[in-house]
Amino acid sequence: MTYVVTRSCCADASCVLACPVNCIHPAPGEPGFGQTEMLYVDPRTCVDCGACTTACPVDALKPHTRLTDAELPFLELNRAYYDTHPHEDRTPMAVVPPQRRTSATELRVAVVGAGPAGLFAADELLRYPGVTVTVHDRLPTPYGLARAGVAPDHEDTKQVARLFRAVESQPGFSYRLNTEIGRDLHHEDLLRDHHAVIYAVGAATDRRLGIHGEDLPGSASATDFVAWYNGHPDHGSASYALDGERAVVLGNGNVALDVARVLTADPDTLSRTDISDRALAALRASRVREVLVLGRRGPAEAAFTLPELLALAALDGVDVLVEGWPEDEPADATPKTRVLAELAARTPVPGRRRIVLRFRTRPTRILGDDRVTGLTVETAETAETVEASLVLRAIGYRARPVPGLPFDETTGTVPHDRGRVRPGVYVAGWIKRGPSGFIGTNKSCAQETVSVLLDDLEAGLLTAPAAGGPVPGAHPDAVGLDGWRAIDEAERAAGRRQGRPRVKLVDREDLLAAARSAAGRRPLRSPNAGSRPSGGSGPV
């Protein structure tokens, strides 16, 4: 028997470190680590010990005897990786990254952004004695896109929160949530109170199409739509045109597939997830029967990952089809095109909702007077009008400029050298590298940034913070770790009553009220409270 990685995983390397025979790759330090869609188990050397399943924070590993029909393709996917990446130089032992040492007795760091990039950066820093980290975010809740971007029916992916809860529990860690830099605190305040500041603010906006009709009601960003159904407090009162039979999603990345899947899902199935109650009510009343997903590129160049495509193809009760397979496209060129070619050969079942993937098609105009009624699209040979009441653009995220930092408008990133903007100011995550990669990519990205920060510390390039440190009560509505835990427990308790993982609070005032219910309403813990024992935490 062999164990199998069954989805795009977090790639944090916990399973690699746990494996006694080093059969999971790519490992830290190897080409592709942090950039591949997933990790892979070599079935020829797996000894069936199950150590990887215990270590995996998102339950992505299964023995092959427990695979569902929908998961069976992952068995071949894991095996095939080793045809081109044999890793024959392996030794039967865990690959343990070397632990860096630092002579510093105190290091105080502010991290701006409580998503995966920011929390991985905090984790890397807290491996060293004498380090304290305060993580800031403008929302009352942490985890960024892991909370507000992962589709509600991907509950397994959301289990990466286990990693983040472990980071939060480390001595020297503190939150200052519901705190917007530039309003409640300023860049200069952070520099005054800390040795260094790491900005991990992500990419909060979407890219634009630049075509006529893009601003009509019924034309919207998939980024906002995802935030809406995930209960993001900035989007709780939004509404979308679900009164027509067809919706069009522009783009062919994982977000496009997520949106198409949610729009066609059985509301009763969604009711067992942590989807926003308001979104669930709207989807119950939805008349959408077809979602057309349009991509400019061909099947082989589609941006969605193979694990996401396999999950889409295995949907029960929804037809997933490929329309108009390009004649010059080899069907067996890659594993992805083989799956897409199989979908192109499917026969639709009358009466079912359906998702239709179409390639090499670009939108030229969104139609309508006071709301969207359709759009015109073109291929290399034809042009046509497609009727639709809802058009969602899923063509990528884009970062906003950070006050006080340089910004490259072309790439949508802060210029840097391996994460260093200048000594004392650093970036990590999408604001550093652009909106690319997976959850695990943020780990290796954060490692690079923290390594450079420590180089600057050892070189004496960091300025000591002002005496006394941050004032815990400076911002009265800030939410600390106790407040976040109170929010988390309130949502989970409501979920238990309904048989769901959680029922999200979607209004900021409700979130703050839950935070204030923390026992004793203790003041925010100063980042100087507590210190890490010598030796660090080791891998989470």
Side-chain angles (χ1 to χ4, degrees):
M1 184 171 73
T2 181
Y3 280 77
V4 182
V5 178
T6 59
R7 65 182 70 93
S8 293
C9 54
C10 69
D12 85 315
S14 296
C15 59
V16 177
L17 297 170
C19 178
V21 294
N22 197 15
C23 74
I24 305 175
H25 293 269
E30 294 177 342
F33 179 74
Q35 281 75 50
T36 57
E37 296 177 352
M38 54 189 280
L39 301 183
Y40 304 87
V41 177
D42 186 349
R44 297 168 298 180
T45 55
C46 176
V47 294
D48 188 26
C49 69
C52 56
T53 62
T54 303
C56 179
V58 296
D59 293 339
L61 285 132
K62 284 187 177 182
H64 84 270
T65 53
R66 290 179 50 204
L67 297 178
T68 65
D69 289 345
E71 293 168 336
L72 283 174
F74 286 97
L75 182 60
E76 172 60 18
L77 190 61
N78 279 248
R79 186 206 63 77
Y81 170 81
Y82 292 92
D83 289 343
T84 52
H85 305 83
H87 294 286
E88 292 174 347
D89 57 343
R90 288 173 292 171
T91 55
M93 58 186 296
V95 181
V96 181
Q99 177 67 43
R100 176 175 179 161
R101 300 296 178 184
T102 176
S103 60
T105 58
E106 180 190 20
L107 176 63
R108 189 186 302 163
V109 181
V111 175
V112 182
L119 290 171
F120 279 132
D123 186 41
E124 290 300 318
L125 287 162
L126 291 168
R127 295 171 188 271
Y128 302 96
V131 177
T132 54
V133 178
T134 304
V135 178
H136 302 71
D137 201 284
R138 71 178 188 86
L139 294 179
T141 56
Y143 305 170
L145 288 180
R147 175 180 168 97
V150 175
D153 59 345
H154 277 8
E155 185 60 31
D156 44 11
T157 305
K158 290 174 181 283
Q159 292 183 53
V160 72
R162 296 177 186 174
L163 289 174
F164 303 149
R165 285 194 290 271
V167 175
E168 296 167 349
S169 299
Q170 297 178 31
F173 180 95
S174 63
Y175 273 134
R176 191 176 289 273
L177 306 173
N178 195 45
T179 301
E180 185 172 344
I181 306 305
R183 183 193 66 185
D184 304 307
L185 286 174
H186 297 275
H187 177 64
E188 295 75 15
D189 300 324
L190 299 179
L191 290 176
R192 182 194 65 235
D193 293 336
H194 302 83
H195 291 86
V197 182
I198 299 176
Y199 284 91
V201 294
T205 61
D206 69 300
R207 294 174 58 194
R208 302 276 294 177
L209 290 164
I211 62 175
H212 180 83
E214 188 172 10
D215 294 318
L216 280 170
S219 170
S221 159
T223 303
D224 292 345
F225 187 75
V226 169
W228 169 71
Y229 65 59
N230 273 318
H232 192 296
D234 288 351
H235 301 272
S237 61
S239 62
Y240 292 89
L242 304 178
D243 55 344
E245 293 196 354
R246 180 185 290 120
V248 175
V249 180
L250 305 174
N252 57 12
N254 285 348
V255 172
L257 299 194
D258 282 348
V259 168
R261 200 177 60 252
V262 169
L263 280 169
T264 55
D266 180 353
D268 288 340
T269 300
L270 291 176
S271 71
R272 298 189 289 272
T273 72
D274 67 353
I275 190 171
S276 157
D277 282 349
R278 294 172 183 171
L280 179 61
L283 289 167
R284 285 192 184 280
S286 171
R287 296 182 58 221
V288 174
R289 304 294 301 173
E290 176 183 288
V291 178
L292 179 60
V293 181
L294 301 181
R296 291 174 180 260
R297 295 176 288 185
E301 295 78 36
F304 49 70
T305 60
L306 182 56
E308 287 297 318
L309 177 62
L310 288 170
L312 190 78
L315 287 178
D316 186 26
V318 177
D319 281 335
V320 180
L321 311 167
V322 171
E323 186 178 273
W325 184 268
E327 293 183 1
D328 61 345
E329 187 77 41
D332 59 352
T334 66
K336 186 182 294 184
T337 57
R338 285 195 289 273
V339 175
L340 289 169
E342 292 172 4
L343 296 178
R346 283 186 177 180
T347 301
V349 177
R352 275 188 178 178
R353 294 185 180 185
R354 63 184 198 165
I355 298 170
V356 180
L357 309 180
R358 188 190 295 183
F359 300 94
R360 298 187 186 175
T361 304
R362 69 181 186 93
T364 56
R365 186 183 184 95
I366 296 177
L367 305 174
D369 294 325
D370 54 356
R371 58 168 291 176
V372 169
T373 58
L375 70 165
T376 57
V377 299
E378 290 182 353
T379 66
E381 297 84 18
T382 63
E384 65 173 301
T385 297
V386 176
E387 292 185 2
S389 61
L390 177 65
V391 176
L392 297 171
R393 57 184 181 275
I395 55 174
Y397 291 86
R398 181 174 173 82
R400 296 190 182 102
V402 178
L405 273 63
F407 190 73
D408 186 327
E409 290 288 350
T410 301
T411 62
T413 60
V414 170
H416 64 91
D417 176 17
R418 294 174 298 148
R420 180 196 296 114
V421 181
R422 56 181 178 270
V425 181
Y426 307 86
V427 286
W430 282 0
I431 192 65
K432 170 186 174 182
R433 67 180 192 274
S436 63
F438 313 97
I439 289 176
T441 311
N442 291 299
K443 186 176 181 69
S444 54
C445 177
Q447 288 171 337
E448 179 186 58
T449 295
V450 170
S451 178
V452 171
L453 186 157
L454 294 176
D455 288 344
D456 290 349
L457 175 67
E458 294 292 336
L461 300 177
L462 303 185
T463 301
V471 180
H475 172 39
D477 288 328
V479 174
L481 179 57
D482 290 337
W484 157 236
R485 285 177 171 167
I487 293 171
D488 186 44
E489 177 51 34
E491 292 183 339
R492 288 174 179 273
R496 288 192 292 271
R497 292 191 290 271
Q498 298 184 25
R500 301 168 64 183
R502 68 174 65 235
V503 176
K504 286 181 176 174
L505 298 171
V506 299
D507 292 320
R508 189 178 292 263
E509 286 307 312
D510 291 341
L511 288 162
L512 294 179
R516 295 185 191 106
S517 71
R521 186 58 177 129
R522 292 190 294 258
L524 285 174
R525 183 175 66 179
S526 167
N528 295 312
S531 61
R532 171 172 295 285
S534 178
S537 67
V540 174

